[in-house]
Amino acid sequence: MQLESSYPFPNGMRTNNRLVLAPLTISASLAGGIVSDEDAAFYRRRAGSAGLLITGSAYVHPLGQAYADSFSVADDDKIPGLAKLAEAMKSQGNLAILQIYHGGRMVPATLIESQPVAPSAVAAEHGEVTVPKSLSNTQIEELLQDFLAAIRRAMVAGFDGVELHGANTYLIQQFLSPHSNRRQDKWGGTLNNRMRFAKTLVKRARQLIDQESPNSFLLGYRFSPEEIEVPGIELKDSLALIDQLIRLGIDYLHVSMDHLWQSSLRKTEENTPVILAIRDKINGRVPLIGVGKVRNAEDYKEALKSGIPLLSMGTSLLLEPDWLELYRSKAESEIRTYLDEENLADLALPQNFVRDYGSYYSKP
Ligand SMILES: Cc1cc2nc3c(=O)[nH]c(=O)nc-3n(C[C@H](O)[C@H](O)[C@H](O)COP(=O)(O)O)c2cc1C
């Protein structure tokens, strides 16, 4: 069965099936962003649910924290907790990836008790946001160092790789976006300059990994193909970025979209799924991870048939960690698709998560 066949990354590592646990921020960490027992329990329960498990995003600098009670990879004192997380995630023989990010202008000022930083002093058009402070050139260099230090910590903690979170309007995406990046120096202006932060980061990360952990640590990149803002990221910008990231040695690309088969958010007259343009651009050079409302095996088969080799599931594995097991044993009708009281303990969902989102995931 193709869904259960293993798949290689360019560096020779393999995932043992085509399922990926999408990154999910579950807001259960301890003060200062330390991994809690609830964090570890959530991921231990999902070990084996997919071949590749990706953590919710960990912030690389305290000013980059966009969610309360999320975990940090900003200091060495976070390594023991992260090591606990990596061990829990890998306990069934699958790969574990740490997603790393900085929230930039999407960080609530109230959370960090400071003005957020971003490529330019332009506020986002949505969310609980303020006008950010524009980063100096020196601060941009420091941020790149923060990301590299985070990658080193992920290695020490025992993860099999990192995913650079270049999606969902956070800082890496903010450099690419002509809405959030109005700089006129080498970090902004032309598309090539707006790509410079992502390119520099991937180039340096590749060098670090090749030095420290050659062929045994993955470097992934997640991106949102388009933005709705005007000006904003267009699909052609993302397709150009893909070429650059592959050239610089990325090990996989992971899209972030609401629906796997969605068409352009910007060119609403077009109805071709955006993922197919991305698939064609990548042209098999690196694995592509698709995402978005994948709920059952039929969705999976359709995606694999159309040449998308890996698919991540967020909601489905949040609500049913035994999805693959039930699919294997042909008991798909038993797959849970909503939360109910009786299941809560079995799902190892953190208390705060259930308090804040329990009703959202309950049966209507
Ligand atoms: C509770 C929750 C937390 C999320 N946290 C993250 C995150 O930390 N990083 C990220 O890239 N995406 C995050 N996402 C997006 C998911 O990775 C995924 O792309 C999205 O849920 C769509 O997939 P699905 O339809 O299978 O749930 C989150 C989604 C949810 C529902």
Side-chain angles (χ1 to χ4, degrees):
M1 183 64 66
Q2 204 184 3
L3 174 59
E4 299 215 56
S5 61
S6 84
Y7 200 80
F9 293 98
N11 71 355
M13 291 171 74
R14 299 186 80 90
T15 173
N16 55 24
N17 60 50
R18 308 305 187 86
L19 263 63
V20 176
L21 172 65
L24 295 169
T25 293
I26 49 168
S27 299
S29 304
L30 305 175
I34 292 184
V35 169
S36 67
D37 290 345
E38 280 193 316
D39 283 321
F42 175 85
Y43 284 101
R44 189 177 297 282
R45 178 66 180 90
R46 283 156 189 80
S49 67
L52 189 76
L53 267 53
I54 307 172
T55 66
S57 49
Y59 50 95
V60 301
H61 186 280
L63 293 187
Q65 182 184 5
Y67 293 93
D69 309 321
S70 52
F71 42 76
S72 162
V73 59
D75 297 289
D76 288 349
D77 67 356
K78 308 300 181 296
I79 293 174
L82 291 167
K84 231 170 40 180
L85 196 61
E87 184 278 320
M89 291 172 86
K90 292 168 70 165
S91 55
Q92 300 292 324
N94 42 268
L95 299 172
I97 304 288
L98 183 71
Q99 189 188 56
I100 61 175
Y101 87 121
H102 187 297
R105 70 176 184 170
M106 300 311 292
V107 171
T110 45
L111 183 61
I112 56 169
E113 295 177 358
S114 174
Q115 188 181 9
V117 294
S120 302
V122 179
E125 289 179 9
H126 60 275
E128 183 202 328
V129 294
T130 42
V131 178
K133 195 163 185 272
S134 151
L135 288 157
S136 69
N137 280 338
T138 311
Q139 286 174 313
I140 293 175
E141 280 298 333
E142 286 167 0
L143 258 169
L144 288 163
Q145 291 309 317
D146 292 335
F147 273 99
L148 293 179
I151 295 173
R152 267 199 201 90
R153 292 184 191 112
M155 285 177 187
V156 176
F159 283 96
D160 297 302
V162 287
E163 178 171 285
L164 304 172
H165 192 358
N168 301 0
T169 73
Y170 296 125
L171 185 94
I172 301 178
Q173 178 174 335
Q174 289 163 29
F175 273 95
L176 182 66
S177 167
H179 187 281
S180 42
N181 185 349
R182 310 282 172 109
R183 299 177 78 95
Q184 292 304 323
D185 59 8
K186 68 173 183 176
W187 301 105
T190 62
L191 173 60
N192 204 32
N193 282 354
R194 285 185 280 115
M195 288 196 290
R196 194 179 301 280
F197 188 84
K199 283 169 57 182
T200 309
L201 178 54
V202 169
K203 189 173 171 189
R204 293 186 190 172
R206 182 77 270 158
Q207 279 167 353
L208 172 70
I209 294 166
D210 287 348
Q211 252 167 32
E212 306 280 323
S213 203
N215 302 327
S216 53
F217 192 86
L218 294 167
L219 178 63
Y221 190 97
R222 192 169 207 202
F223 66 100
S224 299
E226 297 179 297
E227 286 177 339
I228 46 173
E229 286 84 0
V230 180
I233 295 172
E234 297 178 36
L235 181 58
K236 66 178 170 49
D237 301 338
S238 293
L239 297 179
L241 180 67
I242 285 172
D243 260 342
Q244 295 298 322
L245 298 179
I246 295 175
R247 185 177 66 78
L248 292 165
I250 206 79
D251 288 311
Y252 73 80
L253 290 162
H254 185 184
V255 292
S256 183
M257 301 192 308
D258 279 347
H259 197 286
L260 180 64
W261 301 115
Q262 84 192 26
S263 52
S264 175
L265 300 174
R266 298 179 71 90
K267 296 190 174 168
T268 46
E269 70 284 2
E270 290 184 5
N271 52 19
T272 317
V274 162
I275 191 80
L276 297 183
I278 294 169
R279 173 203 64 185
D280 291 347
K281 185 68 179 175
I282 295 176
N283 196 18
R285 289 177 289 171
V286 295
L288 165 66
I289 307 178
V291 73
K293 304 211 165 33
V294 178
R295 300 285 180 258
N296 55 46
E298 287 315 307
D299 294 340
Y300 248 92
K301 286 177 195 154
E302 202 185 332
L304 294 177
K305 226 183 330 171
S306 56
I308 303 161
L310 302 171
L311 282 182
S312 71
M313 299 199 290
T315 309
S316 297
L317 296 180
L318 181 89
L319 299 173
E320 184 52 272
D322 299 327
W323 192 97
L324 181 58
E325 205 46 53
L326 292 167
Y327 165 75
R328 262 188 203 131
S329 54
K330 303 207 175 344
E332 279 184 77
S333 61
E334 289 172 35
I335 288 177
R336 292 167 284 190
T337 53
Y338 58 88
L339 278 188
D340 69 34
E341 286 291 321
E342 290 159 37
N343 288 327
L344 281 182
D346 173 54
L347 295 178
L349 295 173
Q351 271 182 6
N352 286 355
F353 186 84
V354 174
R355 184 198 62 206
D356 296 343
Y357 300 105
S359 58
Y360 177 77
Y361 289 108
S362 296
K363 196 172 189 174

